[in-house]
Amino acid sequence: MTGIEIRHSLVNGSATEAANLVLPSNFVELDWENLDYLGWRDSHSPHLGYIIRWQGEKPMGIVVREADGPLSKRRMMMCQLCRATHTEHGVSLFSARRAGEAGMNGNTVGTYICANLGCSGNIRVDVPQASYYSDPESVLAEKVMGLETRVSGFMLDVMRP
């Protein structure tokens, strides 16, 4: 995936947002094999983030914005995409403007996501050796499938008029 492809993939971003998008600093070194989607925070506008995934042969991307105000520091929070739990600042509420006319009218959709948008890495942790985990590879495959389903669902919500 190239920077130009990423900029053209944004379905809910303006031309200005696409032009000002700052790619992740490690973009050329990304481990594409282990990325279920590419997610990162903009280093020049930290309240902005981007989620890019393959939709068939083409990338599809959305711009997300972190909600203002801290979440509770005393509670565990769960990312609604990868289902990882975090304390303190590990999860943030992100909203995405809907694509097309709905977005121009101010309609948004939101969900709780890992604050660093790094869900692909969060699901790839070692599975504990326990009798109820029959096969660590199948556990990872289930996590990957679940993450891809939930990311796709969130992005489809953004695309819905």
Side-chain angles (χ1 to χ4, degrees):
M1 199 178 313
T2 67
I4 292 171
E5 287 177 313
I6 288 174
R7 285 178 173 81
H8 289 302
S9 76
L10 297 177
V11 297
N12 70 335
S14 68
T16 303
E17 285 175 318
N20 291 334
L21 176 149
V22 177
L23 293 171
S25 59
N26 63 341
F27 183 71
V28 294
E29 298 142 10
L30 288 172
D31 180 10
W32 294 101
E33 287 291 315
N34 289 314
L35 281 178
D36 308 297
Y37 73 89
L38 174 59
W40 78 98
R41 301 287 290 262
D42 191 312
S43 61
H44 292 150
S45 298
H47 65 287
L48 291 179
Y50 307 94
I51 296 175
I52 315 291
R53 70 181 295 272
W54 288 103
Q55 186 77 22
E57 296 293 316
K58 294 177 63 175
M60 182 175 107
I62 59 173
V63 180
V64 294
R65 287 168 183 74
E66 183 178 33
D68 292 334
L71 298 174
S72 172
K73 293 180 181 177
R74 296 182 185 164
R75 293 195 178 146
M76 295 289 287
M77 300 288 293
M78 180 185 286
C79 171
Q80 295 302 304
L81 299 183
C82 69
R83 304 283 167 89
T85 55
H86 302 276
T87 58
E88 305 225 5
H89 303 293
V91 172
S92 292
L93 176 61
F94 285 92
S95 65
R97 186 173 56 235
R98 290 198 187 268
E101 187 176 333
M104 288 187 251
N105 291 333
N107 294 324
T108 62
V109 62
T111 193
Y112 292 98
I113 306 174
C114 291
N116 66 358
L117 301 174
C119 297
S120 289
N122 290 340
I123 64 168
R124 286 174 170 76
V125 295
D126 290 333
V127 177
Q129 296 297 321
S131 60
Y132 49 85
Y133 290 123
S134 58
D135 175 24
E137 287 183 22
S138 66
V139 172
L140 177 60
E142 286 178 31
K143 287 181 177 183
V144 167
M145 187 172 70
L147 175 61
E148 288 177 349
T149 300
R150 290 184 290 275
V151 170
S152 178
F154 181 58
M155 293 180 88
L156 288 173
D157 281 349
V158 172
M159 296 291 295
R160 191 175 327 139

